[in-house]
Amino acid sequence: MPDVFMGDLSQIKLADILRLLLSEGKTGKLILGKGNDAGEIYVENGAVTHASSKANSGKEALFVMMTWMIGKFNFSPDVLPEEKSIEIDTDQLLEEGEKRVKEWEHIREVIPSMDVVFRLAGHKGSDDINLKSAEWNILTQVDAMRSAGEISGALNLDEFDVAKTLYELYSAGLLEVVERPKPPPEKIMEREFFKKVDGELAKALGPIASVIVDDQIAEMGEQRDAFPQNKAAELVEAVSSEIADEGKRIRFQRSMLEVLRDL
Amino acid sequence: MKEKLEEINSIKGVWGYVLCDNTGKILEKEMPIVFMKHLAMMGKEVTQVVGLLETMSKSSENLDLLFEDGRVMIRSLKNFTLAVFCDPNVDIPMLRLKTNVVVSEITGDPKMQELFQKGEWRRRRLLQKEYLGKEYREILSQLVPEDAKPDTSA
């Protein structure tokens, strides 16, 4: 094997890379990167001893990385880990990992990404339904709003376990995939609001007030006719900082608070 | 004044507030029951933070302390401190507008000023040894230049 060992996961599977390193009794660190994800796998004298990714460590991290079909890898020889998180036999580890990769391939047919949203399906059969407690925990989170990833985060469970359970519940006819609901449209400020801002600010600053308001709206990257309601207080605060006289500034803020209260 | 202060609580994401004088004594408050057992310490702790910053000659009039699961906005004037406890995602511009107005009304309220005068201390007196916990003593010993250290021999 050359001193520099690097390549692309689309050309060679992680399991095959590891088998190659292990068959030669290598010691070192295999670094993997896939978009914003990254991970490390340490091998010592032909055995995997540690793996870590952004979210996990140990065999869970290794199993997640084994599902990466694209990405880059780079092996640095003779680097030892600071900790060891994997103790099971390497052949058994890779076998378990490959089994999981195959399961993922099935799961991906229904859950291509963790953004998929489910809802409870109407139960058509008359048979009793039996659920394990882990399945019940996940089922209680299904609300036609939360994605598979959000459920995994809410329950602090591994993405694979959640996806697998959702897939099984889906396969049993208990869940249906739904389109993720679109967020409600942003509320836009009415013209009346700007009339009040301009008018109140003019009491403190004179006729230049509306120019200051326009400048501030532009600085915020917005427009008068499509100004989002959730930025109204920010606009008022920003334009009020132009009022040097403290008394006038407080009067402006007080009157604008009354306007904001009625929104 | 209570009514004015309670307007702060009407902002979505605000949990409550304490208004205290320079001795750390709480003069007005509105806090969820879950915080009540810590309330006695809040006034003193908030005033000590402001006093510590004053001792270090740092601006302490507007403080915004952001934690992972909470946010504390502190407004301090010459003789009082208002601390607002809220969710990290609170509408900060709205909160600043409300506290600006409330602070100005507190400053202009003769009854409140009379109350503050009863506790007319310099906040840094709360940094004397007898009032300090271990952590504050360590912070002070590390951060305050020798010539600016308060007298802690009391």
Side-chain angles (χ1 to χ4, degrees):
Chain A
M1 187 185 293
D3 285 345
V4 178
F5 182 43
M6 57 198 290
D8 202 306
L9 290 173
S10 63
Q11 304 295 317
I12 180 168
K13 284 196 274 184
L14 176 56
D16 294 334
I17 299 167
L18 288 172
R19 283 209 174 88
L20 186 62
L21 293 170
L22 303 176
S23 67
E24 294 197 13
K26 291 284 183 187
T27 293
K29 176 169 75 166
L30 185 66
I31 301 168
L32 294 109
K34 179 193 151 212
N36 291 327
D37 272 334
E40 296 174 344
I41 300 166
Y42 288 85
V43 292
E44 280 181 81
N45 304 317
V48 176
T49 56
H50 180 60
S52 69
S53 65
K54 282 185 179 173
N56 294 309
S57 69
K59 65 179 190 175
E60 284 305 320
L62 178 72
F63 291 162
V64 170
M65 287 185 268
M66 283 180 79
T67 66
W68 294 357
M69 297 298 137
I70 51 167
K72 304 280 184 196
F73 69 88
N74 188 335
F75 181 69
S76 305
D78 304 322
V79 182
L80 291 170
E82 287 178 3
E83 57 174 314
K84 293 186 181 181
S85 56
I86 295 173
E87 286 175 354
I88 66 169
D89 174 71
T90 298
D91 285 336
Q92 191 190 332
L93 182 75
L94 293 182
E95 205 174 297
E96 205 179 317
E98 285 185 314
K99 190 178 155 210
R100 184 177 278 210
V101 171
K102 280 192 183 139
E103 281 182 294
W104 256 125
E105 282 167 12
H106 286 296
I107 293 168
R108 281 211 177 96
E109 288 168 14
V110 176
I111 310 176
S113 83
M114 292 304 276
D115 292 332
V116 172
V117 178
F118 289 91
R119 74 171 172 212
L120 296 178
H123 188 49
K124 296 174 188 79
S126 55
D127 297 341
D128 290 341
I129 299 167
N130 296 305
L131 294 174
K132 294 174 196 156
S133 65
E135 291 171 331
W136 175 249
N137 277 347
I138 290 171
L139 197 65
T140 59
Q141 300 291 315
V142 172
D143 59 359
M145 305 277 283
R146 264 177 277 203
S147 67
E150 286 164 345
I151 292 174
S152 157
L155 296 174
N156 200 19
L157 291 174
D158 181 68
E159 283 191 355
F160 175 77
D161 292 334
V162 172
K164 187 180 173 189
T165 304
L166 288 168
Y167 174 77
E168 286 166 353
L169 293 169
Y170 171 87
S171 302
L174 299 178
L175 296 180
E176 292 172 345
V177 175
V178 288
E179 206 172 298
R180 193 176 180 117
K182 289 179 183 141
E186 216 171 35
K187 281 190 182 170
I188 300 299
M189 296 307 295
E190 290 176 9
R191 279 186 185 180
E192 197 58 31
F193 168 74
F194 290 106
K195 270 189 194 170
K196 286 175 182 165
V197 179
D198 290 343
E200 291 298 326
L201 194 62
K203 288 179 191 171
L205 296 178
I208 193 77
S210 62
V211 176
I212 289 173
V213 174
D214 281 339
D215 283 352
Q216 188 56 43
I217 291 170
E219 202 168 296
M220 291 165 77
E222 303 291 348
Q223 293 174 329
R224 271 189 190 240
D225 54 3
F227 193 86
Q229 195 183 83
N230 61 8
K231 287 188 175 180
E234 187 184 340
L235 174 69
V236 169
E237 190 192 22
V239 296
S240 70
S241 67
E242 299 287 332
I243 308 171
D245 182 284
E246 198 188 339
K248 286 182 181 176
R249 186 168 62 242
I250 294 292
R251 269 197 293 283
F252 171 73
Q253 290 182 340
R254 188 181 289 127
S255 55
M256 289 316 302
L257 275 174
E258 280 170 24
V259 176
L260 292 171
R261 193 187 299 139
D262 295 337
L263 291 177
Chain B
M1 186 50 60
K2 184 96 177 157
E3 269 175 31
K4 300 280 178 197
L5 282 161
E6 279 178 4
E7 278 189 25
I8 292 173
N9 269 19
S10 68
I11 299 173
K12 193 179 164 193
V14 170
W15 302 333
Y17 65 83
V18 295
L19 174 71
C20 45
D21 66 17
N22 283 0
T23 67
K25 183 183 169 191
I26 294 174
L27 302 175
E28 294 286 358
K29 64 177 189 298
E30 190 62 51
M31 291 294 286
I33 201 151
V34 69
F35 291 104
M36 283 303 176
K37 70 174 180 181
H38 305 292
L39 203 58
M41 291 301 294
M42 278 183 185
K44 194 182 111 184
E45 295 261 344
V46 164
T47 309
Q48 277 177 330
V49 168
V50 176
L52 181 60
L53 288 166
E54 282 177 354
T55 303
M56 294 167 66
S57 306
K58 302 281 182 194
S59 168
S60 58
E61 200 173 308
N62 293 295
L63 297 175
D64 184 9
L65 310 178
L66 182 60
F67 303 94
E68 197 179 329
D69 51 1
R71 191 165 194 156
V72 188
M73 179 184 277
I74 300 176
R75 295 292 310 271
S76 67
L77 268 81
K78 184 170 159 269
N79 53 9
F80 69 91
T81 305
L82 173 67
V84 183
F85 300 83
C86 46
D87 185 272
N89 299 317
V90 70
D91 184 346
I92 282 290
M94 176 65 100
L95 182 54
R96 277 198 293 250
L97 286 173
K98 281 246 162 115
T99 51
N100 281 350
V101 171
V102 169
V103 161
S104 126
E105 283 170 3
I106 294 171
T107 309
D109 183 335
K111 279 186 189 165
M112 292 305 292
Q113 289 303 319
E114 204 176 303
L115 280 176
F116 296 142
Q117 275 160 16
K118 286 182 188 166
E120 191 72 284
W121 269 27
R122 293 173 75 199
R123 289 186 185 97
R124 61 178 68 178
R125 275 185 71 181
L126 275 183
L127 300 177
Q128 286 181 1
K129 206 172 182 178
E130 63 196 275
Y131 300 111
L132 284 179
K134 189 178 163 220
E135 283 174 12
Y136 273 104
R137 270 182 253 165
E138 276 171 17
I139 292 170
L140 259 187
S141 67
Q142 286 168 26
L143 296 181
V144 182
E146 279 301 316
D147 55 356
K149 276 188 186 176
D151 178 14
T152 55
S153 57

